[in-house]
């Protein structure tokens, strides 16, 4: 501990700490009550400041004693003013010879249990007896001094407020022990509180701090909180500001903040917009037509089953499907229509196409965009909430975001498809090593899977893409090639957020949401 | 799509070379397969096949065939195709009443091999994957395999009343009639649905009247139980679509041929037209050649390929190619029927050459990016709420009535509900967001107070007049929770938000069962309700097990955006 460090500590002491330290003498112990009286502080102030000094290892506890402190209870205070029932009853019998129990009750403001207890006590000591007809008679006055001693003790304790039990005489201690409120007993004259009294000495560090404090002498009037009044009347001038210990932890605040996963989605959104993609939106509820048929998924496709998607309970069907798309798409399924395809060659069921469902893939949004006069050339994306009929577990949530989009243009072909994916790999996953794998999607041909070497995850699938089949684009009125792409980014988000259960992306745990730190950039 | 188990040794012997698992992983690209695992001890490879239109690849033989062709240029010689005139091993006679029930059937014989345990396992796996996935759980096609030695041709494919015939089905000891099989046999219970409502059921019997099977439900135990050691088989497929029936038979025939069997043709004779005539000798090459021009290929691939290159790549992938000037006539192998459009052939050219041999080209056409108005508006509000000290939340949209209605003190309301419920906890789309924030509140009673949370997000509301009977809306809700949370604090936040949005709002006292009476207001902009605000009712808080006062508001962004546009134009 250098001199400077000691000074820094002293500089940051609270005025109460300084007052306590000034009450210490080097090398000597001091106890709580002495500390309070020497430093002339309140008990609570002493408690607070000694706590700080102990925490900073400036003082240490050298001893601990338990004191039993005696005070009056409410009953005790009443007896102090009105005397004990025994003395009052004795006096009443003396003043009204021949009085009986009910006579006492009429005269004295005491409840009947008190009266009978007191008469019982007087009788036991042989001071009073109950004669014929319930009349009370004084038989012997001499044992009464015992009750007078109690009365004196009550007055003494009342005067002192609190008395250390050990400071009283043996006889007094016996009286108090006999009359204090015991656990479970409602009434008692004295209350005994146990109080821990500690003794302290200066610790090693404290000795240096103490010397410095002594050297500086009594603290002058330091400014703690600067107030508007001080600024107004200039009273701050010439006074020192108490130095704070700025190394102490501050109170906790909870700032307003984006959701960490939303922050990630925002960054993806920003990147896509920067790459020239325009946002498209769609509804949470779709019909099978836009979710599947328009994407050339045949109506008997294995993924079009009650075990794959969620259907809507009621109404079950869309009123209508927009023309000419219904006619075009059903023809494409049946015979290829004018798409150059032989089609799936089955009878298209319009009722099935109308069936309402919860959107199961973001491509549904793309299909609607294609049918709605898209720009050519054009680039679109959506971050769409989708629903699948799946057992919910650590890798499946009941709903999730799909990041999907399309690119329309005369220049679109297999190589520009690969070029776009390369761009995604670099921009979204910062991956320079990539691999393209053959893939299958019902609505694209050729189809490709994009694998990248992620800096943390190693080789992973980043997305899937392909060129929409003519059976998709032509019936929707689009006559240029169209890339359909989708990115699977949840795994990247989970790694960045250090979570292992996909359900935690939508966690309800506020503490987790508030404390997650992100590093997307 | 299907995941299959095959033995590495089996695959290697069918290809004719051995590989490391890494090699296999690489070669699986040719079949759009992904190696899911390899168990050294059992020598078992787990392979997931992604192409739902290539059932020929959902088996060890098919994977081996595609890899062998590419690596060694060896394509099996399948002499039994195109031998329509040669000797038939048997006949299936179809009766006219099959037309309305399950119209198509076909079959072939396989002889001269020895069915061993591994072959049997693979055969059953292939049969199951094809009929379950490609055959839509046996509805569109189902497959039966029998011990040929117990069958006397011709086989009859006909209908009978449900109680007219009894036989012992696989897995049972005693004879059952068809109605009993549907009712009591496990397969009948699963697949009986396919025959629902029919008064007569399909049956396959041989010339002596012995039952082969009750398609598509179950084989007879006597004839239709193939065992290791059998050396001659009869394979049949029945179904609703003739092309699928023929395709499945072709796949099964080449698979058996690849394992050394001699395939014998069986003729199916129909009293009605099938699209392929009334008598079809099976296996049968039924797919038509496609014409492909080099210009088509160039347009799709973005690269000029020579005639020889295209023809070589397709040849390596199993096609027969005829060059015709600048065009090619390509015929896919008879076990494939997934060429609907010339574009499908282009993908095979790319796969055959290897995707990574194509140099990526960046799309260069200029486009302007941007967000939708509602997204921009939502972002504006998110920014404001965050600046006001609120923590953003994102929640699931698929939730329960318990959360969005009952726990909120509300009664039945029309909501967007799921028909095929998996779990009651995920059975309805939320129509408002405050319940999502209450869920967070209920889960976060241990988290440091005060809590100030908000969410902007989608909800779905019932819309009687709409084509889809629902509308997707964007809403924003905010919730404040701490020992002194009250109306005024929420009101102050809302007021400040509306000030910056330049939207004139006023509160009109109202009733809402989630909120305390006399401390609830509807948020009006003009004469339109755009939201609500109030102190959460203690009964609602208790229902959620929340022990802290909460106040909240919720506003509709679609309506506010419309007003905002007018106000700021």
């Amino acid at each position: 501990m250098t001199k400077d460090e000691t000074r820094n500590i002293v500089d940051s002491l609270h005025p109460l700490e300084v007052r306590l330290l000034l009450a210490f003498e080097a090398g000597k112990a001091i106890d709580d009550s002495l500390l309070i009286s020497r430093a002339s502080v309140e008990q609570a102030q002493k408690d607070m400041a000694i706590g700080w000094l102990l925490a900073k290892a400036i003082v240490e506890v050298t001893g601990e004693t338990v004191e039993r402190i005696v005070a009056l209870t409410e009953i005790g205070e009443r007896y102090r003013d009105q005397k004990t029932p025994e003395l009052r009853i004795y006096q009443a019998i003396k003043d009204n010879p021949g009085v009986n129990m009910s006579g006492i009750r009429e005269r004295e403001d005491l409840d009947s249990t008190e009266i009978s207890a007191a008469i019982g006590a007087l009788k036991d000591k042989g001071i009073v007896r109950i004669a014929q007809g319930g009349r009370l008679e004084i038989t012997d006055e001499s044992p009464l001094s015992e009750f007078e001693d109690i009365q004196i003790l009550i007055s003494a304790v009342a005067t002192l407020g609190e008395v250390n039990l050990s400071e009283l005489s043996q006889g007094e201690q016996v009286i108090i022990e006999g009359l204090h409120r015991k656990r479970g007993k409602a009434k008692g004259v004295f209350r005994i509180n146990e109080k821990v009294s500690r003794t302290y000495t200066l610790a090693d560090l404290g000795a240096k701090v103490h010397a410095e404090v002594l050297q500086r002498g009594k603290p002058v009037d330091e400014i703690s909180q600067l107030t508007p009044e001080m600024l107004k009347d200039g009273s701050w001038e010439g006074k020192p500001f108490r130095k704070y210990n700025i190394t102490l932890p501050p109170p906790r605040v909870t700032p307003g903040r984006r959701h960490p996963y939303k922050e990630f989605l925002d960054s993806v959104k920003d990147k896509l917009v920067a790459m020239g993609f325009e946002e498209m939106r769609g509804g949470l509820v779709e019909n099978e037509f836009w979710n599947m048929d328009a994407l050339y998924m045949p109506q008997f496709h294995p993924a079009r089953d009650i075990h794959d998607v969620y259907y809507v309970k009621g109404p079950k069907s869309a009123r209508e499907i927009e023309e000419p798309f219904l006619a075009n798409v059903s023809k494409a399924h049946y015979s290829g229509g004018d798409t150059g395809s032989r089609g799936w060659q089955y009878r298209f069921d319009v009722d099935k196409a109308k069936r309402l469902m919860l959107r199961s893939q973001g491509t549904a949004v793309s299909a609607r965009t294609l049918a709605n006069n898209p720009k050519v050339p054009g680039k679109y994306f959506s971050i769409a909430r989708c629903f699948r009929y799946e057992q919910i577990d650590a890798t499946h949530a009941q709903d999730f975001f799909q990041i999907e989009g399309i690119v329309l243009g005369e220049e679109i072909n297999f190589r520009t498809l690969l070029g776009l994916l390369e761009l995604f790999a670099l921009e979204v996953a910062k991956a320079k090593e990539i691999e393209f794998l053959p893939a299958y999607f019902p609505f694209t041909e050729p189809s490709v899977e994009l694998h990248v070497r992620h800096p943390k995850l190693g080789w992973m699938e980043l997305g899937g893409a392909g060129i929409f089949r003519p059976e998709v684009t032509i019936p929707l009125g689009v006559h240029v090639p169209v890339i359909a792409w989708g990115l699977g980014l949840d795994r990247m988000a989970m790694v960045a957020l250090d979570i292992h259960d996909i359900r935690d992306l939508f966690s309800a745990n506020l503490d987790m949401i508030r404390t997650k730190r992100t590093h997307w950039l | 799509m299907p995941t299959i188990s095959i033995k590495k040794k089996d695959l290697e012997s069918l290809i004719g070379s051995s590989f490391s698992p890494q090699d296999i992983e690489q070669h699986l690209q040719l079949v759009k397969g992904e190696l899911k695992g390899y168990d050294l001890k059992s020598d078992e490879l787990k392979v997931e096949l992604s192409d739902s239109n290539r059932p020929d690849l959902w088996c060890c033989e098919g994977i081996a065939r595609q890899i062998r062709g590419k690596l060694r240029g060896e394509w099996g010689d399948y002499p039994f195709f195109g031998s329509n005139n040669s000797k038939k091993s048997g006949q299936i006679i179809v009766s006219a009443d099959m037309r309305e029930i399950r119209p198509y059937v076909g079959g072939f014989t396989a002889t001269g091999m020895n069915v061993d345990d591994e072959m049997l396992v693979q055969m059953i796996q292939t049969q199951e994957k094809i009929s379950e996935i490609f055959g839509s759980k046996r509805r569109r096609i189902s497959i039966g395999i029998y011990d040929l030695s117990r069958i006397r041709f011709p086989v009859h494919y006909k209908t009978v009343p449900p109680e007219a015939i009894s036989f012992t089905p696989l897995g049972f000891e005693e004879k059952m009639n068809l109605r009993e099989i549907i009712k009591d046999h496990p397969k009948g219970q699963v697949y009986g649905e396919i025959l629902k409502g029919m008064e007569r059921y399909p049956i396959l019997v041989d010339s002596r009247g012995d039952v082969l099977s009750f398609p598509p439900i179950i084989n007879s135990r006597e004839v239709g139980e193939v065992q290791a050691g059998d050396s001659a088989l009869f394979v049949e497929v029945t179904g609703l679509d003739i092309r699928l029936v023929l395709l499945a038979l072709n796949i099964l025939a080449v698979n058996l041929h690849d394992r050394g069997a001699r395939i014998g043709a069986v003729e199916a004779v129909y009293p009605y037209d099938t699209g392929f005539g009334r008598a079809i000798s099976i296996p049968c090459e039924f797919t038509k050649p496609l014409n492909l021009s080099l210009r088509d290929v160039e347009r799709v691939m973005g690269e000029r390929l020579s005639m020889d290159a295209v023809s070589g790549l397709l040849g390596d992938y199993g096609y027969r190619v005829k060059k015709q000037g600048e065009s090619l006539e390509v015929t896919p192998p008879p076990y494939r029927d997934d060429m609907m459009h010339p574009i499908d052939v282009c993908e095979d050219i790319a796969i055959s050459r290897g995707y990574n041999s194509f140099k990526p080209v960046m799309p260069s056409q200029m486009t302007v990016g941007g967000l939708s108005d509602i997204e921009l508006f939502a972002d504006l509000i998110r920014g404001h709420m965050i600046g006001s000290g609120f923590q953003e939340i994102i929640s699931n949209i698929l939730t329960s009535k318990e959360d969005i209605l009952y726990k909120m003190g509300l009664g039945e309301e029309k909501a967007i509900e799921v028909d095929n419920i998996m779990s009651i906890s995920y059975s309805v789309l939320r129509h408002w967001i405050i319940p999502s924030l209450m869920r967070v509140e209920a889960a976060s009673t241990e988290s440091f107070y005060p809590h100030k949370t908000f969410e902007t997000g989608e909800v779905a509301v019932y819309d009687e007049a709409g084509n889809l009977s629902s509308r997707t809306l964007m809403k924003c809700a905010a919730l404040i929770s701490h020992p002194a949370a009250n109306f005024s604090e929420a009101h102050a936040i809302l007021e400040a938000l509306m000030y910056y949005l330049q939207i004139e709002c006023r509160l009109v006292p109202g009733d809402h069962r989630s909120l305390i009476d006399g401390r609830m207001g509807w948020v009006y902009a003009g004469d339109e309700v755009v939201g609500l605000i109030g102190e959460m009712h203690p009964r609602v808080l208790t229902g959620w097990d929340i022990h802290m006062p909460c106040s909240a508001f919720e506003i509709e962004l679609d309506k506010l955006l419309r007003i905002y546009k007018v106000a700021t134009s």
Side-chain angles (χ1 to χ4, degrees):
Chain A
M1 179 68 56
T2 67
K3 194 79 186 157
D4 275 354
E5 283 169 315
T6 310
R7 273 203 206 103
N8 285 340
I9 292 173
V10 175
D11 283 345
S12 68
L13 288 175
H14 191 275
L16 282 175
E17 291 175 299
V18 174
R19 280 164 82 171
L20 291 198
L21 282 173
L22 286 171
F24 275 81
E25 288 173 75
K28 281 195 183 168
I30 183 168
D31 69 13
D32 280 312
S33 53
L34 192 55
L35 202 49
I36 289 171
S37 62
R38 273 202 201 155
S40 57
V41 290
E42 302 284 323
Q43 164 95 29
Q45 289 176 314
K46 184 273 299 173
D47 287 346
M48 190 163 65
I50 201 77
W52 298 334
L53 291 170
L54 285 168
K56 293 178 193 172
I58 291 171
V59 303
E60 57 195 12
V61 176
T62 51
E64 203 173 82
T65 53
V66 179
E67 291 178 349
R68 306 185 74 200
I69 305 296
V70 181
L72 292 184
T73 64
E74 276 176 34
I75 292 169
E77 281 171 10
R78 190 151 59 84
Y79 291 178
R80 176 197 61 199
D81 297 340
Q82 301 171 355
K83 295 202 171 173
T84 61
E86 288 84 357
L87 290 181
R88 286 170 68 179
I89 290 166
Y90 170 77
Q91 197 60 46
I93 298 169
K94 206 173 172 188
D95 293 350
N96 305 285
V99 72
N100 60 11
M101 195 103 101
S102 53
I104 300 267
R105 202 175 293 139
E106 281 159 28
R107 281 182 178 77
E108 300 294 330
D109 165 32
L110 289 166
D111 67 45
S112 38
T113 49
E114 270 178 318
I115 293 171
S116 53
I119 291 173
L122 290 169
K123 225 171 82 195
D124 288 350
K125 298 288 174 190
I127 300 169
V128 164
R129 77 178 185 101
I130 303 173
Q132 205 132 46
R135 285 187 303 115
L136 297 166
E137 286 174 0
I138 294 166
T139 48
D140 181 5
E141 291 192 4
S142 55
L144 191 64
S145 63
E146 200 175 304
F147 293 105
E148 282 164 344
D149 288 347
I150 293 174
Q151 190 65 45
I152 291 164
L153 191 54
I154 290 174
S155 304
V157 171
T159 313
L160 291 168
E162 286 187 339
V163 192
N164 197 329
L165 188 66
S166 62
E167 287 167 9
L168 298 175
S169 73
Q170 195 68 35
E172 287 167 333
Q173 288 189 24
V174 171
I175 294 172
I176 288 170
E177 295 278 8
L179 290 175
H180 92 269
R181 178 189 298 189
K182 296 195 178 91
R183 189 184 295 274
K185 267 204 171 173
K187 289 171 185 170
V189 178
F190 300 101
R191 172 191 299 130
I192 301 178
N193 288 328
E194 296 198 339
K195 191 172 147 196
V196 178
S197 176
R198 289 169 170 172
T199 55
Y200 309 95
T201 55
L202 294 165
D204 292 348
L205 168 60
K208 293 188 186 127
V209 171
H210 183 243
E212 176 78 20
V213 167
L214 283 183
Q215 201 190 329
R216 292 190 190 184
K218 242 191 140 104
V220 283
D221 194 7
E222 283 183 326
I223 296 177
S224 189
Q225 174 68 50
L226 183 64
T227 64
E229 289 72 26
M230 292 176 192
L231 288 169
K232 208 167 170 188
D233 63 17
S235 61
W236 60 271
E237 275 185 280
K239 285 185 193 160
F241 286 88
R242 181 169 62 80
K243 292 186 177 168
Y244 296 151
N245 179 2
I246 58 164
T247 62
L248 291 177
R252 183 174 167 187
V253 294
T254 54
R257 194 167 167 253
R258 278 192 288 174
H259 189 283
Y261 180 44
K262 190 82 172 168
E263 210 173 291
F264 170 75
L265 294 172
D266 280 350
S267 78
V268 173
K269 196 167 85 174
D270 289 347
K271 278 175 184 155
L272 289 169
V273 170
M275 286 186 253
F277 285 86
E278 195 177 320
E279 196 204 5
M280 50 183 179
R281 299 188 72 89
L284 298 170
V285 175
E286 261 300 356
N287 52 34
E288 288 201 49
F289 183 82
W290 290 108
N291 197 88
M292 324 248 208
D293 293 319
L295 296 168
Y296 200 55
M297 291 172 73
Q299 295 187 321
F300 53 79
H301 192 277
R304 298 183 62 164
D305 188 275
I306 53 160
H307 300 299
D308 297 287
V309 300
Y310 281 118
Y311 289 102
V312 173
K313 189 169 175 187
K316 291 187 193 301
S317 294
R319 289 194 165 73
E320 55 173 12
I321 293 170
E322 298 82 344
E323 291 290 6
F325 309 114
L326 174 61
N328 292 350
V329 168
S330 63
K331 241 180 277 168
H333 280 237
Y334 180 61
S335 64
D338 52 5
T339 64
S341 168
R342 68 166 158 83
W344 282 109
Q345 305 192 340
Y346 72 100
R347 292 254 167 235
F348 188 86
D349 179 356
V350 177
D351 287 338
K352 181 158 175 66
K354 284 182 177 170
R355 185 75 172 96
L356 294 177
M357 57 181 290
L358 305 188
R359 177 174 61 204
S360 74
Q361 50 186 357
T363 326
V365 185
S366 301
R368 282 194 180 266
T369 301
L370 288 180
N372 197 25
N373 286 318
K375 293 172 190 160
V376 179
K379 296 213 282 274
Y380 295 89
F381 80 98
S382 72
I383 300 182
R385 198 75 76 106
C386 297
F387 307 84
R388 298 255 171 99
Y389 188 91
E390 274 169 331
Q391 282 298 340
I392 311 302
D393 58 28
T395 55
H396 299 94
Q398 66 263 43
D399 53 68
F400 53 94
F401 284 110
Q402 274 200 339
I403 303 169
E404 295 219 2
I406 49 178
V407 180
L408 305 90
E410 292 292 354
E411 64 172 345
I412 296 309
N413 57 45
F414 187 63
R415 288 178 62 194
T416 48
L417 167 67
L418 301 186
L420 178 77
L421 294 179
E422 195 176 62
L423 181 69
F424 281 155
L426 199 61
E427 288 298 315
V428 180
K430 295 188 231 353
K432 294 199 179 77
E433 278 182 83
I434 59 176
E435 197 185 6
F436 301 115
L437 266 65
Y440 174 79
F441 307 105
F443 38 82
T444 54
E445 193 80 25
S447 308
V448 52
E449 233 171 55
L450 169 63
H451 287 231
V452 300
R453 202 211 278 280
H454 184 272
K456 275 195 193 140
L457 292 167
W459 282 103
M460 63 170 276
E461 185 183 339
L462 187 67
I467 298 173
F468 266 132
R469 302 185 63 94
E471 297 97 324
V472 175
T473 50
I474 293 172
L476 300 180
V478 173
H479 296 274
V480 293
V482 180
I483 289 174
W485 57 267
L487 294 173
L489 303 181
D490 279 351
R491 209 168 140 227
M492 261 169 59
M494 287 168 70
V495 168
L497 290 173
D498 191 29
I499 59 176
H500 308 284
D501 187 322
I502 199 162
R503 291 169 290 192
D504 287 342
L505 291 176
F506 299 116
S507 171
N509 180 341
L510 187 56
D511 231 25
M512 184 185 125
I513 298 166
R514 277 169 162 177
T515 52
K516 279 291 173 204
R517 285 178 284 193
T518 55
H519 43 93
W520 312 116
L521 298 175
Chain B
M1 284 302 109
T3 299
I4 60 169
S5 297
I6 57 179
K7 292 270 197 280
K8 182 162 166 281
K9 221 173 248 132
D10 191 28
L11 181 72
E12 287 169 340
S13 95
L14 284 162
I15 296 174
S17 1
S18 50
F19 304 98
S20 69
Q22 288 72 31
D23 289 341
I24 289 174
E25 199 163 12
Q26 197 60 34
H27 293 315
L28 283 176
Q29 289 191 23
L30 284 169
V31 296
K32 298 185 189 173
E34 190 187 337
L35 187 58
K36 288 287 184 186
Y38 173 55
D39 181 34
L40 198 63
K41 215 169 125 212
S42 64
D43 192 42
E44 192 174 75
L45 297 159
K46 285 234 180 292
V47 182
E48 186 184 37
L49 285 316
S50 69
D51 196 331
S52 61
N53 291 334
R54 293 271 324 254
D56 63 299
L57 297 176
W58 303 350
C59 51
C60 194
E61 298 88 342
I63 294 172
R65 191 178 306 126
Q66 198 75 58
I67 295 173
R68 185 179 61 224
K70 182 70 192 171
L71 290 188
R72 304 150 62 107
E74 284 173 19
W75 289 93
D77 182 18
Y78 301 113
F80 45 87
F81 289 115
S83 56
N84 224 350
N85 299 322
S86 68
K87 189 175 157 285
K88 306 288 182 286
S89 308
Q91 248 190 355
I92 304 173
I93 296 167
V94 182
S95 81
D97 47 3
M98 284 314 305
R99 190 172 195 166
E100 304 304 321
I101 302 283
R102 194 170 176 83
Y104 305 110
V105 67
F108 64 85
T109 61
T111 53
M113 77 293 193
N114 179 31
V115 176
D116 62 19
D117 287 331
E118 182 53 24
M119 181 175 171
L120 196 60
V121 167
Q122 286 299 314
M123 218 159 61
I124 289 166
Q125 176 172 265
T126 307
Q127 175 183 6
E128 200 178 284
K129 298 293 177 190
I130 291 183
S131 55
E132 284 298 306
I133 299 171
F134 195 62
S136 303
K137 301 193 172 67
R138 298 196 189 175
R139 181 177 293 277
R140 298 170 69 225
I141 52 169
S142 63
I143 299 168
I145 304 177
Y146 312 85
D147 178 356
L148 179 64
S149 68
R150 294 172 182 246
I151 296 171
R152 295 289 171 273
F153 284 106
V155 165
H156 294 271
Y157 183 48
K158 60 180 188 181
T159 72
V160 290
E163 278 144 17
I165 266 187
S166 295
F167 68 97
T168 311
L170 278 181
F172 273 61
E173 301 287 339
E174 67 276 15
K175 287 193 171 199
M176 299 164 90
N177 69 33
L178 305 188
R179 193 186 296 289
E180 288 165 344
I181 289 173
I182 295 280
K183 201 170 141 279
D184 298 328
H185 196 283
K187 297 289 177 194
Q189 289 160 352
V190 175
Y191 300 107
E193 182 69 17
I194 298 169
L195 300 175
K196 206 173 166 188
M198 292 179 183
E199 283 166 16
R200 294 172 72 85
Y201 289 157
I203 195 91
L204 279 164
V205 293
D206 78 356
S207 62
R208 295 170 307 193
D210 288 350
V211 174
L212 275 70
S213 68
F214 169 23
I217 313 293
I218 189 77
N219 279 9
S220 137
R221 185 187 162 128
E222 276 94 36
V223 184
E225 187 166 40
V226 178
Q227 287 163 332
D230 286 352
S231 61
L233 303 176
F234 170 59
V235 179
E236 57 74 19
V237 175
T238 62
L240 304 179
D241 182 325
I242 184 69
R243 293 183 80 97
L244 296 189
V245 169
L246 296 178
L247 177 67
L249 286 164
N250 288 356
I251 291 168
L252 297 166
V254 294
N255 283 1
L256 286 166
H257 176 91
D258 285 355
R259 289 192 184 272
R262 245 185 348 264
I263 303 301
V266 169
E267 187 178 51
V269 183
Y270 289 83
Y272 45 84
D273 189 48
T274 62
F276 293 89
R278 292 184 175 223
I280 314 172
S281 173
I282 295 163
C284 132
E285 186 161 17
F286 66 100
T287 52
K288 293 202 183 88
L290 283 97
N291 282 304
L292 192 66
S293 75
L294 281 184
R295 269 196 46 222
D296 290 341
V297 176
E298 184 183 355
R299 216 180 48 238
V300 175
M301 306 317 304
E303 185 172 318
R304 177 90 187 159
L305 297 174
S306 72
M307 178 65 81
D308 286 346
V310 172
S311 140
L313 289 167
L314 286 174
D316 289 348
Y317 207 66
Y319 287 84
R320 285 205 314 271
V321 184
K322 256 195 256 167
K323 303 176 194 172
Q324 294 174 330
E326 278 293 281
S327 283
L328 303 98
E329 188 193 271
V330 298
T331 310
Y335 46 83
R336 286 185 63 180
D337 191 27
D338 58 320
M339 256 61 64
M340 286 182 273
H341 191 281
I343 196 93
D344 294 301
V345 182
C346 292
E347 186 184 74
D348 285 344
I349 295 171
I351 293 175
S352 185
R353 195 176 106 173
Y355 275 14
N356 294 294
S357 71
F358 289 85
K359 192 172 169 350
V361 175
M362 203 63 74
S364 59
Q365 285 181 329
M366 160 74 185
T367 58
V368 178
L371 297 177
S372 63
D373 286 353
I374 189 73
E375 184 76 8
L376 285 169
F377 190 58
D379 283 352
L380 185 71
I381 288 170
R382 289 171 61 211
H384 182 88
M385 292 308 297
I386 290 161
S388 301
F390 282 69
Q391 168 66 55
E392 186 176 30
I393 301 295
I394 325 183
S395 308
N396 288 109
I397 291 178
L398 187 57
T399 170
S400 64
K401 278 188 160 180
E402 180 71 18
D403 276 13
I404 62 167
L405 295 176
Y406 312 143
K407 270 189 182 168
M408 297 305 297
L410 304 178
E412 259 333 294
E413 259 179 56
K414 187 74 190 165
I416 310 299
E417 283 181 73
V418 166
D419 202 4
N420 51 328
I421 293 172
M422 169 175 290
S423 156
I424 205 81
S425 310
Y426 327 115
S427 58
V428 62
L429 296 182
R430 68 174 180 190
H431 65 298
W432 63 322
I433 294 181
I434 287 176
S436 302
L437 298 180
M438 293 289 276
R439 215 178 128 257
V440 170
E441 209 42 55
S444 308
T445 51
E446 301 289 310
S447 187
F448 181 76
Y449 284 93
H451 296 173
K452 296 179 182 181
T453 56
F454 84 101
E455 178 169 356
T456 57
E458 288 176 313
V459 304
V461 298
Y462 177 63
D463 173 23
E464 199 182 351
N467 186 33
L468 302 180
S469 302
S470 78
R471 264 178 307 145
T472 298
L473 300 178
M474 185 86 100
K475 291 190 177 182
C476 173
L479 189 123
I480 301 166
S481 175
H482 59 80
N486 59 22
F487 185 91
S488 159
E489 191 178 356
H491 191 189
I493 300 293
L494 177 67
E495 186 74 15
L497 174 62
M498 290 302 162
Y499 171 80
Y500 289 110
L501 295 179
Q502 300 165 59
I503 294 174
E504 293 275 343
C505 270
R506 66 202 155 84
L507 299 189
V508 175
D511 291 323
H512 193 286
R513 291 172 64 188
S514 303
L515 302 165
I516 296 176
D517 220 20
R519 300 182 183 186
M520 182 274 155
W522 298 108
V523 184
Y524 271 79
D527 50 10
E528 189 175 24
V529 176
V530 295
L532 57 77
I533 180 168
E535 288 183 13
M536 300 307 303
H537 199 286
R539 195 181 48 235
V540 171
L541 293 173
T542 309
W544 280 92
D545 211 12
I546 296 171
H547 307 287
M548 195 61 87
C550 295
S551 58
F553 66 78
E554 175 149 349
I555 49 176
E556 295 187 37
L557 302 198
D558 303 83
K559 287 179 182 171
L560 290 172
L561 173 60
R562 215 173 348 97
I563 300 164
Y564 174 77
K565 279 182 174 170
V566 175
T568 56
S569 65

